[in-house]
Amino acid sequence: MIEALRVALRRGGKKLLAGVDFHLGPGELVAVVGPNGAGKTSLIRILSGEYPPDSGTVQLDGVPLDRWSPRLLARRRAVLPQETSLDFPLSALEVALMGRMPHVRSSRDRQLALDALHQADAAHLAHRIYPTLSGGERQRVQLARVLCQLRDDSAPAQRYLLLDEPTAALDLAHQYTLLRTVRRLVGDGLGGLAILHDLNLAAQFADRIVVMAGGQIVTGGDPRTVLVPELIREVYAVDCVVTRHPCLAVPHVIPVPDARMGVGAHTTVPRTHD
Amino acid sequence: MNARVFAAAVAEPETQGDRSRRARWTLLALAAGLLAVAVLSLGQGALPVPPDRIVGILASAVGLGDAARFNHFEMHVVLHLRLPRLLLAMLVGSALAVSGAALQGLFRNPLADPGLVGVSAGAALGAVTVIVLGATWLHGMTAWLGIYTLPIAAFIGGLAATLLVYRLAQQGGYTPVATLLLAGIAINAVAGAGTGLLTFIADDQQLRSLTFWTMGSLGGASWSNLAAAAPLILLPMLALPVLAMAMNAFLLGESVAQHLGVRVEHIKILVVTLTAMAVGAAVAVSGIIGFVGLVVPHLLRLWMGPDHRYLLPGSALLGAFLLLLADLLARNVVAPAELPIGLITALVGGPFFLALLLRRRGMYS
């Protein structure tokens, strides 16, 4: 279990996180949502140990992160950043292979990297040069890198994957492929956290939705209880209708145009719900 | 569809395998080439010595074979004039090339070069300070450090410059090209002004020893300054390749490296210190020789990819090889006079840098 207790983080005089309690257990997928600047990326940074919190503690298996050796920590949790730029001509396979860095070198590494590329639907990119790939292709290669990093058959420990807007650069099909891949790994016991902007994707894939605003956690829980119009208006200042997804037993959020702002005034479709 | 694409990818030629195999062969070829140029270089000059006699003289110097077969003058030229210069050229060439490769990895920016970002100028300022003030203000330091005074002063100057560039140009684990080069311009200007000021107050004898800084030269090679520079160059040459994997991770950014289990702060301090040490020592014995650190890693990356496990040793070999070749030119083009070697590297490196800028134009904004 990764656990943050009463965590506060300040950077450059700005309060990024204040009094945040959060936990991520094995076998669950948590979606973190919230407006820009809510502290979602900061949460990932303190959960991964990239930033030490100014107060409070972050623990993995009950041991504070700063007591973990960076290498052992890297075998237990991986982070997929929003964007990874690279100015040097590494191939996609070489990037995926970087995931093996925290592990003891083995002759299987290459095969693990190829498997991970396959899982991330990037096998055909293996020999392409990373800087020549599109944004979405890069993101899939990075996903392969983190999947590769978390493969460890020698020690049956719980592993965690933190994804920072993993779907931002992806087309519709790959958004679903990525989240389905993560979902399957979560089914096998992985603990997953994903920052998502699309509330409907969050509702479809997450076991739990955590809503952040202003460096704090506003609420969290089952998507059906969290995604209600009042909360969405409070957090995003957007009016919406929440219906049931036509095929799944999850809520579906539909923003409605605000007549007072004149947005959508050209539409002839009347508002059917309120 | 996935399965088929996957099978196709596996059946394709293996980039990773290909590249590392190619890299290993390249290292071997470079070592062989270096040896050949070394023998050629020892034989070239006002007194030509054929390769077989060179090998004989070298063998006799280490106690193998009979020294009496060679005439005294020939032995002196080879062992006391050309050999130290040869070794110095190789050391300086490797130091600059490996430092260039390491700085580029650290800054995640293929345009970093010890000369362009101001590390060499900082080192030169340190060295010139000692030359001009060593007998007076810094007498205590000179007396204490002996022959190492100059390289250590250059190391301190280079270290200060590197730290400054790093602080100036680094923005959240990423170094924009423009900021890096601008920081380099600023540091070059400030260090250059300091060097100028010291030159201004230097006496005639000091001026003579300062002149070779401006363009870089291996003319001052001797066993004693070789002995002073060698440890400060060899230590980074041996230590930097140990950090190769961590430097590979750095290419993806500091936070990714940290997530991969790299002790980012340790690695940064080590790389900065080791490169400043190597550049400082190189500058102390040969002045500012530009562009080696830019050109060599570039050529190697084009040929065998950016993996530091091969790039660092490859840069050491190719840097030594190219500087030796440049020195051969410098000594022979206008013989019996000698061109400053920094002029030759700048003549080749300047246009190379321009070409890189042109190719990358539009990637800055």
Side-chain angles (χ1 to χ4, degrees):
Chain A
M1 173 117 80
I2 299 186
E3 208 171 2
L5 296 167
R6 308 296 307 155
V7 161
L9 181 70
R10 305 179 139 271
R11 283 282 147 137
K14 204 169 166 276
K15 208 191 284 177
L16 298 177
L17 293 175
V20 168
D21 288 307
F22 181 87
H23 63 93
L24 175 65
E28 69 167 343
L29 179 55
V30 177
V32 176
V33 305
N36 295 334
K40 303 185 296 293
T41 299
S42 298
L43 180 66
I44 282 196
R45 289 201 165 126
I46 61 128
L47 290 177
S48 68
E50 184 181 345
Y51 288 176
D54 291 312
S55 65
T57 55
V58 184
Q59 304 181 332
L60 170 60
D61 294 350
V63 178
L65 289 189
D66 54 16
R67 300 245 305 272
W68 279 84
S69 102
R71 200 168 161 194
L72 289 179
L73 191 59
R75 292 185 195 171
R76 297 289 306 281
R77 66 94 186 89
V79 182
L80 181 70
Q82 277 181 38
E83 199 202 328
T84 309
S85 67
L86 173 65
D87 250 348
F88 295 86
L90 285 171
S91 71
L93 179 58
E94 285 167 329
V95 171
L97 260 170
M98 294 247 192
R100 299 313 296 165
M101 257 194 76
H103 301 271
V104 179
R105 261 183 86 175
S106 137
S107 54
R108 291 174 58 236
D109 287 350
R110 194 186 139 79
Q111 193 53 49
L112 289 177
L114 284 168
D115 289 349
L117 282 166
H118 180 51
Q119 265 187 312
D121 195 18
H124 58 294
L125 305 174
H127 303 286
R128 295 269 305 277
I129 297 300
Y130 184 86
T132 66
L133 301 177
S134 76
E137 290 171 332
R138 289 180 192 190
Q139 191 66 346
R140 276 142 61 198
V141 173
Q142 291 299 334
L143 176 69
R145 175 179 63 75
V146 295
L147 294 180
C148 197
Q149 182 181 342
L150 292 179
R151 272 293 290 273
D152 192 349
D153 306 329
S154 62
Q158 291 151 2
R159 275 167 258 282
Y160 301 90
L161 178 56
L162 312 175
L163 309 128
D164 191 349
E165 291 187 36
T167 54
L170 300 179
D171 63 44
L172 190 62
H174 282 110
Q175 291 183 12
Y176 279 82
T177 317
L178 181 140
L179 287 173
R180 250 183 245 128
T181 305
V182 174
R183 190 70 247 183
R184 194 162 39 73
L185 292 167
V186 166
D188 296 339
L190 180 89
L193 179 157
I195 295 176
L196 293 173
H197 276 303
D198 185 333
L199 298 177
N200 294 320
L201 273 182
Q204 282 175 42
F205 285 97
D207 301 301
R208 191 148 64 86
I209 293 185
V210 167
V211 184
M212 291 188 76
Q216 290 177 314
I217 289 176
V218 180
T219 182
D222 187 283
R224 280 162 295 197
T225 57
V226 170
L227 293 181
V228 293
E230 294 73 30
L231 180 91
I232 294 167
R233 190 179 309 121
E234 181 195 324
V235 171
Y236 291 97
V238 168
D239 285 318
C240 64
V241 173
V242 178
T243 63
R244 221 185 87 120
H245 189 283
C247 319
L248 304 165
V250 297
H252 191 79
V253 178
I254 306 164
V256 293
D258 185 343
R260 286 163 302 175
M261 302 287 285
V263 181
H266 59 282
T267 62
T268 53
V269 181
R271 290 168 76 168
T272 51
H273 287 275
D274 244 322
Chain B
M1 166 244 167
N2 281 345
R4 217 172 25 193
V5 172
F6 181 51
V10 174
E12 259 180 46
E14 306 174 355
T15 323
Q16 177 69 13
D18 270 356
R19 272 196 184 177
S20 54
R21 201 174 318 127
R22 177 192 267 197
R24 277 193 282 270
W25 279 109
T26 309
L27 293 186
L28 267 179
L30 281 173
L34 183 59
L35 200 67
V37 182
V39 172
L40 184 71
S41 171
L42 282 177
Q44 275 293 325
L47 175 80
V49 184
D52 57 312
R53 290 179 75 81
I54 303 260
V55 175
I57 290 172
L58 291 180
S60 73
V62 292
L64 301 165
D66 181 12
R69 284 199 296 135
F70 309 101
N71 78 53
H72 185 72
F73 183 62
E74 207 171 47
M75 280 190 72
H76 180 80
V77 166
V78 171
L79 292 179
H80 293 280
L81 296 179
R82 289 186 193 157
L83 189 57
R85 182 166 179 149
L86 170 98
L87 294 175
L88 198 68
M90 286 169 46
L91 277 177
V92 168
S94 338
L96 293 175
V98 170
S99 303
L103 283 177
Q104 287 156 18
L106 180 73
F107 285 113
R108 304 184 60 210
N109 189 322
L111 289 185
D113 168 81
L116 289 171
V117 302
V119 181
S120 299
L125 179 59
V128 171
T129 308
V130 164
I131 291 174
V132 176
L133 306 177
T136 53
W137 291 13
L138 300 172
H139 184 70
M141 179 182 168
T142 318
W144 182 51
L145 293 171
I147 58 164
Y148 295 105
T149 312
L150 203 60
I152 286 176
F155 161 48
I156 294 169
L159 188 63
T162 318
L163 292 173
L164 207 58
V165 177
Y166 196 78
R167 290 302 293 270
L168 284 173
Q170 184 80 333
Q171 295 174 359
Y174 169 72
T175 320
V177 186
T179 325
L180 178 69
L181 296 180
L182 288 174
I185 290 175
I187 285 170
N188 273 319
V190 172
T195 309
L197 194 67
L198 288 165
T199 314
F200 185 71
I201 61 169
D203 62 34
D204 276 356
Q205 196 214 326
Q206 289 166 344
L207 267 183
R208 262 195 298 279
S209 66
L210 289 184
T211 41
F212 88 112
W213 292 94
T214 44
M215 275 182 286
S217 163
L218 295 166
S222 68
W223 283 111
S224 80
N225 65 16
L226 192 65
L232 291 174
I233 291 180
L234 289 175
L235 175 68
M237 291 303 103
L238 297 175
L240 282 169
V242 177
L243 309 176
M245 277 309 281
M247 288 166 77
N248 283 347
F250 252 83
L251 296 183
L252 293 174
E254 277 182 34
S255 64
V256 172
Q258 192 182 3
H259 295 148
L260 283 168
V262 174
R263 290 178 195 270
V264 170
E265 293 304 319
H266 292 197
I267 300 293
K268 278 199 297 204
I269 291 171
L270 277 173
V271 171
V272 165
T273 311
L274 291 168
T275 47
M277 195 184 277
V279 173
V283 167
V285 288
S286 65
I288 297 180
I289 298 175
F291 296 105
V292 178
L294 180 78
V295 173
V296 168
H298 253 97
L299 292 176
L300 286 171
R301 274 197 210 94
L302 283 176
W303 177 244
M304 60 192 203
D307 187 336
H308 286 94
R309 283 173 299 174
Y310 306 111
L311 184 65
L312 293 173
S315 294
L317 291 170
L318 187 59
F321 178 85
L322 287 183
L323 207 62
L324 213 49
L325 214 57
D327 188 48
L328 204 57
L329 277 177
R331 288 193 288 130
N332 292 295
V333 171
V334 291
E338 183 182 306
L339 281 175
I341 193 168
L343 200 64
I344 293 177
T345 62
L347 274 175
V348 177
F352 186 90
F353 181 56
L354 270 179
L356 283 178
L357 278 182
L358 284 175
R359 207 162 60 92
R360 296 170 49 87
R361 196 169 51 177
M363 287 171 68
Y364 300 130
S365 41

